[in-house]
Amino acid sequence: MPNSHAPLIERFEASYIPEPNSGCWIWIASTDVDKDGYQRGKLNVNRKSMSATRTSYLMFKGDPTGLCVCHRCDTTLCVNPDHLWLGTHQENMADKARKGRGRSILKADDIPQIRQMLREGASQSSVAKAYGVNPNTICGLYRGRNWRHIP
């Protein structure tokens, strides 16, 4: 891996390997697991951590501000700009549903019960365990980041 003072393009290009069969560029550098449990590449850009896919889109196609950077290939660690497209959150969710990915374990009927458990003092981690989901999912529900349409 290049040092952190190398130009962005050098750091980026040293951080993936091409996969010849699919054409994906697989991110091999630093990664995080996002709120949905997906492995995501990350890169420091101007002293901020930015996803590797957003960095790729920014460098090769333009500024993705305000939109989701989505994958045609459905490989979350792919940073090939030819495999990326911009869409709204709603378009990204519709794409995931069409492809049979990202189906929620939680159901709409669970949400009021979960909120009640949290109001009564249950920990987010215990609720997550009870429903078989990642604690970040419960945290997002608690903070109003997801399931906002369910009272």
Side-chain angles (χ1 to χ4, degrees):
M1 296 295 138
N3 72 50
S4 61
H5 299 296
L8 180 60
I9 191 73
E10 284 179 27
R11 289 185 289 131
F12 182 85
E13 289 179 344
S15 298
Y16 70 85
I17 54 172
E19 199 293 306
N21 297 313
S22 65
C24 290
W25 298 355
I26 305 299
W27 190 256
I28 58 170
S30 182
T31 60
D32 278 336
V33 176
D34 74 5
K35 66 180 175 56
D36 297 316
Y38 290 107
Q39 193 80 5
R40 300 281 186 208
K42 67 177 186 171
L43 188 65
N44 287 327
V45 179
N46 297 329
R47 298 184 192 159
K48 290 188 338 186
S49 182
M50 179 184 279
S51 80
T53 52
R54 289 188 80 75
T55 303
S56 177
Y57 201 94
L58 177 67
M59 288 190 322
F60 296 102
K61 293 194 169 193
D63 188 355
T65 298
L67 294 170
C68 296
V69 178
C70 310
H71 289 88
R72 285 189 177 84
C73 61
D74 291 333
T75 302
T76 60
L77 288 177
C78 178
V79 294
N80 182 341
D82 293 335
H83 291 194
L84 305 175
W85 59 279
L86 291 182
T88 64
H89 179 72
Q90 185 174 359
E91 289 167 330
N92 190 28
M93 295 299 105
D95 179 60
K96 288 168 82 172
R98 253 192 324 277
K99 295 173 179 174
R101 292 184 302 104
R103 295 176 193 251
S104 177
I105 293 171
L106 297 177
K107 305 295 177 228
D109 292 345
D110 297 329
I111 305 311
Q113 294 168 333
I114 291 171
R115 288 195 175 120
Q116 184 63 37
M117 290 170 73
L118 294 169
R119 278 192 297 274
E120 291 173 357
S123 71
Q124 292 177 20
S125 60
S126 67
V127 173
K129 188 177 283 189
Y131 282 87
V133 297
N134 186 301
N136 289 331
T137 301
I138 301 302
C139 179
L141 188 152
Y142 178 75
R143 294 178 183 245
R145 289 191 305 255
N146 50 31
W147 293 97
R148 285 180 281 207
H149 61 289
I150 305 291

